[in-house]
Amino acid sequence: MAVRNLWKGLSGGAGDNLTSDGLRLSVLEDFEQTGLAWIWASDADGVLSYLSPGAAEAMGLPLANLLGRPLATLFETDPEHPDTHSARPLGFQISAHNRIVDVTVRCALPEARTGRPVWLSLSGQPKVDLTGRFHGYRGSAKDISVEYQRQIEDSRLAEYDSLTGLYNRHRMHRRLESVLAAFKAAKRNCALMMLDLDRFKQVNDTMGHPAGDDLLRQVAERLRNIIGDRGEIGRLGGDEFQVIIPDVDDRGKLGELADKIIQIVSQPYPIDGKRAIIGTSVGIAIAPYDGQEVEELVRASDLALYSAKNGGRGQFRFYSSDLKDEEEERQLLLDDLREALESEQLELHYQPVVRIHDNHVVGMEALMRWEHEERGWVSPGMFIPVAEDSSLIGPLGDWALNRACADAAAWPDTVRVAVNVSARQFTTAGFVDVVADALQASGLDPDRLELELTESVFMGDSEATEETFRALKKIGVRLALDDFGTGYSSLSYLRSAPFDKLKVDKSFVDSCTQKDQNSAKIITAIIGLSKALGMETTVEGVEAFDQLEVVRSRGAELVQGWIFAKAMPQHQVLQNIRSGEFKIEPSGPDKHRPDRRSMFRRIGIIHGDHRYDAVIRDLSKTGAFVEGLVGVPLDTALVLDLGGGQLVVCKVLRSEGAQLGVEFETPLVSDGAGGLCTRHRVSPYALAAASLPVAGAPSHAPAALSAGASAPQFMQVQVGSGG
Ligand code: C2E
Ligand code: CA
Ligand code: CA
């Protein structure tokens, strides 16, 4: 009966060959009843319109609950055994109206989650009429639960990932379980690294799955070479790798190893005579400090990885307890950002680019500003990466382009506007149209619009990227390569892409006044290179007169930095223009203060058996300024408790009032997040044995003073964040 209805619907009414249709139908009905396979159909929107009743029965669900739902939400692939080829094969295939071939799925409805999952092998043919219109799918489905279960068991037994020959997820899990259990007893430590490839999906999508497989094999090979017999490597599925490294807890060494992995994995891969470039991010957690059980440690390394990815990719991170909430934070931020974009809470401010021989403003860079109701001003350095990780960067970037063009149309013709474009936005189909539309709507001369791109636009499909470059040049907009010198800085980018300008990254300016640094030389070289190639250069981030002098003497012509102006809202730009010539005299400090990490961080100072509260004002690898103790003699040996089991032995070199300058016995190492950390931490094993007055490790609860502490030798003063 059911098939009959479907047939009527599909064939659009009865025809002459009712008899042969009738015969076909009864054959189909008989076939359906055998249960060997079922049939299904969807409408043009991918909504399930027919399913053999037997299939619903097999899944243990009423047919009515299934019909009328979009296929893409009704079925899911196995999250534990992700298909390497695509994260969401079914949804993608359906929206692309592709043929569906033997995709293994299960019902995704919550009510189907009870008992043993029923796995279906789904196939379907898109139904397209003579005019090319898509009418939906007709397809078949088969219960393959038994075979699938066996397949999973087999791969579990094999312990190896068949693609790369590395250990598989199950083997890694079991290894970790036994290592951690044994090490706990022996009080040994063990590091766990989680790796996730950046941009792998792009390679897979643009170069094809065999290329993706080839790439994964090459990555595995490189990892094997780097790790050697130092640890065990597994591929957890997709582009996720894991490394177990026993008996290393030195964060200096682990950071170096992670850096090496990142560098080597990021080298180009030869594939099919082409070149693929990917990157990787690494999260690191160390037992017993960050967790003693498998779940804890894996979660800690996952959080660290997540944070590394968010930090801009191509980075490593150590787990720290602050990371726990980061994931949630980001989601909240993203929701708020979406809301802010819709309700027009975002603004663009403009930072002048000044021609330094006559101080004329020749351009403005549009920088996004967001005043959040509760958080206050949120830096684009924080929310842009969050947006880039979601599809929100598309509309956000489009908005900025349109706003900037509209605003710039009101400026003098001699002033250009520069707009930052994220790689993800740049590589989206239709980006060129967005640019053309923004120009058209505002009436801005294309030559007055400059798009600022970073090297990451070259990481994807090179042909598509080149095509976009060509199309943009045809429109007549200008292109600038931003943050030059910080990434791969491959000169081949300059050859292959038609840039009009290079922007020298602020980091070179920061250290250009220091004698022992090469920064000034690098600035000279970049400016020279750029002139030789007929490009302009803007030097970014000039704050002080000594820096301005250095960059001027090195041939800089255009400067953007606080010494001229910070970014300002459009009404202020208009005011400046109205008041006559748009010129800005430099004003700022004479000397740039070399980059010390000024901060306000509460720490503990341990001396004798007493623990004092203090504040770190300034931290470098080799020493710190701390505030909070009065009357500490020079050369006193102290222990700083930076939290999380990080103890630093140091010596007092300066002591003035409540301020101490201390030098560390052992230098700190990079924490991968732009901060510093100790190489080693006090192990929770040791803490359990001795009742040290230490905060943190790993319960994060400040420990009380040990009983029977003697009277404090130094006077402690309260330090407020204002002073
Ligand atoms: P960027 O493109 O490198 O922008 C320059 C950043 O340096 C801006 O930070 C600017 O305020 C800051 N800056 C300029 N001169 C000085 C100086 O003399 N001293 C110091 N300390 N800083 C200076 P901002 O506005 O926080 O933006 C951060 C980043 O966020 C930008 O870096 C850019 O990558 C991104 N961004 C901002 N607006 C947009 C946007 O509309 N779209 C996209 N995709 N990214 C944006
Ligand atoms: Ca920029
Ligand atoms: Ca920049």
Side-chain angles (χ1 to χ4, degrees), residues 365 420 452 482 503 540:
E365 177 175 4
N420 291 287
E452 293 196 0
D482 205 351
K503 297 193 80 177
E540 272 192 293

Side-chain angles (χ1 to χ4, degrees), residues 40-353:
W40 59 274
S42 84
D43 66 11
D45 297 325
V47 168
L48 188 70
S49 51
Y50 178 80
L51 181 69
S52 301
E57 216 170 281
M59 289 188 278
L61 293 171
L63 186 58
N65 288 13
L66 304 172
L67 296 178
R69 291 188 192 250
L71 285 170
T73 62
L74 196 52
F75 295 110
E76 63 184 5
T77 46
D78 188 350
E80 280 171 38
H81 299 268
D83 189 324
T84 54
H85 300 326
S86 163
R88 36 179 207 296
L90 190 61
F92 176 79
Q93 310 284 36
I94 292 171
S95 57
H97 304 168
N98 285 348
R99 216 156 70 92
I100 299 170
V101 186
D102 292 333
V103 179
T104 304
V105 295
R106 68 176 174 199
C107 181
L109 298 182
E111 56 264 39
R113 291 278 170 73
T114 50
R116 270 174 77 90
V118 176
W119 292 100
L120 302 181
S121 173
L122 212 61
S123 293
Q125 199 72 17
K127 206 70 193 167
V128 179
D129 67 17
L130 288 175
T131 68
R133 230 176 56 159
F134 172 72
H135 288 274
Y137 280 100
R138 315 281 162 74
S140 63
K142 214 161 58 180
D143 183 349
I144 55 157
S145 304
V146 177
E147 294 94 311
Y148 190 65
Q149 214 58 44
R150 191 178 306 135
Q151 203 181 317
I152 292 176
E153 291 301 324
D154 285 352
S155 68
R156 224 170 249 179
L157 282 179
E159 303 213 316
Y160 289 100
D161 166 42
S162 57
L163 182 65
T164 60
L166 297 175
Y167 293 129
N168 65 19
R169 176 186 287 272
H170 298 280
R171 153 84 189 200
M172 288 305 273
H173 189 86
R174 281 219 310 279
R175 273 301 289 159
L176 202 55
E177 248 168 8
S178 59
V179 166
L180 290 185
F183 280 27
K184 201 165 166 180
K187 298 198 185 349
R188 287 163 64 183
N189 45 56
C190 177
L192 184 67
M193 280 190 184
M194 282 288 295
L195 277 73
D196 185 297
L197 304 184
D198 301 329
R199 295 178 299 271
F200 172 70
K201 199 177 166 320
Q202 252 165 310
V203 173
N204 219 3
D205 290 351
T206 56
M207 299 178 71
H209 302 153
D213 286 353
D214 189 4
L215 183 63
L216 289 172
R217 272 191 291 265
Q218 294 193 44
V219 170
E221 193 46 41
R222 292 187 190 181
L223 288 177
R224 260 191 223 108
N225 284 332
I226 303 167
I227 303 296
D229 50 14
R230 273 188 278 192
E232 291 176 81
I233 317 167
R235 176 168 157 257
L236 304 187
D239 58 352
E240 271 185 14
F241 296 83
Q242 190 180 53
V243 188
I244 301 174
I245 306 166
D247 295 314
V248 182
D249 69 340
D250 181 332
R251 285 189 284 186
K253 279 191 192 151
L254 288 168
E256 280 162 22
L257 183 61
D259 255 340
K260 191 167 162 193
I261 291 177
I262 291 166
Q263 276 176 21
I264 291 180
V265 170
S266 309
Q267 298 301 314
Y269 295 80
I271 287 170
D272 287 350
K274 286 195 200 155
R275 230 165 54 121
I277 301 179
I278 53 160
T280 185
S281 309
V282 182
I284 310 167
I286 310 166
Y289 313 93
D290 305 322
Q292 303 192 21
E293 308 298 329
V294 177
E295 279 67 31
E296 253 182 309
L297 199 64
V298 167
R299 170 144 178 84
S301 63
D302 271 343
L303 280 172
L305 173 64
Y306 194 77
S307 159
K309 285 188 97 76
N310 294 340
R313 281 133 212 274
Q315 300 184 351
F316 71 86
R317 282 280 190 288
F318 290 112
Y319 170 76
S320 96
S321 53
D322 326 334
L323 297 183
K324 268 187 197 149
D325 312 316
E326 197 174 295
E327 205 175 324
E328 208 180 335
E329 271 285 303
R330 281 176 69 86
Q331 196 49 51
L332 289 176
L333 196 68
L334 190 60
D335 292 344
D336 288 355
L337 185 58
R338 189 168 285 126
E339 163 86 33
L341 179 63
E342 276 163 18
S343 56
E344 292 171 32
Q345 286 172 44
L346 293 175
E347 289 175 44
L348 279 187
H349 286 197
Y350 298 96
Q351 187 181 28
V353 178

Side-chain angles (χ1 to χ4, degrees), residues 344-364:
E344 292 171 32
Q345 286 172 44
L346 293 175
E347 289 175 44
L348 279 187
H349 286 197
Y350 298 96
Q351 187 181 28
V353 178
V354 176
R355 186 167 61 207
I356 54 176
H357 81 83
D358 60 5
N359 293 338
H360 272 278
V361 174
V362 297
M364 306 263 221

Side-chain angles (χ1 to χ4, degrees), residues 358-613:
D358 60 5
N359 293 338
H360 272 278
V361 174
V362 297
M364 306 263 221
E365 177 175 4
L367 295 162
M368 229 178 259
R369 294 292 177 259
W370 176 21
E371 190 174 8
H372 187 275
E373 285 169 345
E374 288 142 35
R375 300 170 203 252
W377 289 103
V378 187
S379 150
M382 179 150 171
F383 68 80
I384 294 286
V386 176
E388 280 174 344
D389 255 8
S390 77
S391 52
L392 193 60
I393 191 64
L396 199 65
D398 295 354
W399 171 82
L401 256 173
N402 280 288
R403 178 81 262 150
C405 289
D407 284 351
W411 306 344
D413 289 347
T414 50
V415 181
R416 294 196 165 108
V417 66
V419 181
N420 291 287
V421 176
S422 290
R424 174 144 177 200
Q425 186 191 0
F426 183 84
T427 49
T428 305
F431 174 67
V432 177
D433 295 335
V434 173
V435 175
D437 291 349
L439 287 168
Q440 169 115 57
S442 61
L444 190 74
D445 179 353
D447 182 55
R448 289 181 54 206
L449 175 63
E450 192 162 80
L451 303 179
E452 293 196 0
L453 309 168
T454 57
E455 286 172 31
S456 48
V457 299
F458 297 104
M459 299 302 149
D461 174 11
S462 53
E463 272 162 41
T465 309
E466 272 167 35
E467 183 52 45
T468 308
F469 275 125
R470 267 197 296 278
L472 289 172
K473 283 278 81 171
K474 213 164 143 203
I475 295 178
V477 297
R478 289 165 51 95
L479 300 173
L481 186 54
D482 205 351
D483 303 340
F484 189 73
T486 56
Y488 302 90
S489 297
S490 167
L491 293 179
S492 62
Y493 299 148
L494 297 181
R495 198 182 47 198
S496 61
F499 286 108
D500 303 284
K501 175 183 270 187
L502 290 186
K503 297 193 80 177
V504 179
D505 192 65
K506 175 174 176 297
S507 56
F508 297 110
V509 177
D510 284 344
S511 47
C512 75
T513 51
Q514 279 156 267
K515 289 233 158 45
D516 51 336
Q517 297 274 347
N518 281 325
S519 305
K521 288 181 200 151
I522 294 175
I523 294 175
T524 315
I526 297 177
I527 293 174
L529 173 73
S530 155
K531 278 188 182 148
L533 293 172
M535 294 185 278
E536 287 184 340
T537 326
T538 297
V539 179
E540 272 192 293
V542 177
E543 293 178 358
F545 278 97
D546 58 346
Q547 293 176 320
L548 186 60
E549 272 331 297
V550 171
V551 301
R552 191 197 298 276
S553 71
R554 300 291 174 149
E557 288 164 0
L558 303 178
V559 164
Q560 180 185 347
W562 293 356
I563 193 159
F564 289 106
K566 292 190 176 179
M568 58 185 94
Q570 167 78 350
H571 69 81
Q572 202 177 326
V573 175
L574 294 178
Q575 225 166 33
N576 280 324
I577 294 167
R578 231 174 281 133
S579 64
E581 261 191 325
F582 202 175
K583 272 177 80 166
I584 307 177
E585 298 297 326
S587 82
D590 286 341
K591 269 188 182 326
H592 178 251
R593 199 171 53 90
D595 196 10
R596 282 182 291 159
R597 297 166 206 252
S598 342
M599 54 174 68
F600 182 89
R601 176 165 155 200
R602 295 201 182 275
I603 58 156
I605 297 183
I606 300 164
H607 182 256
D609 52 7
H610 204 84
R611 184 175 195 279
Y612 304 85
D613 294 326

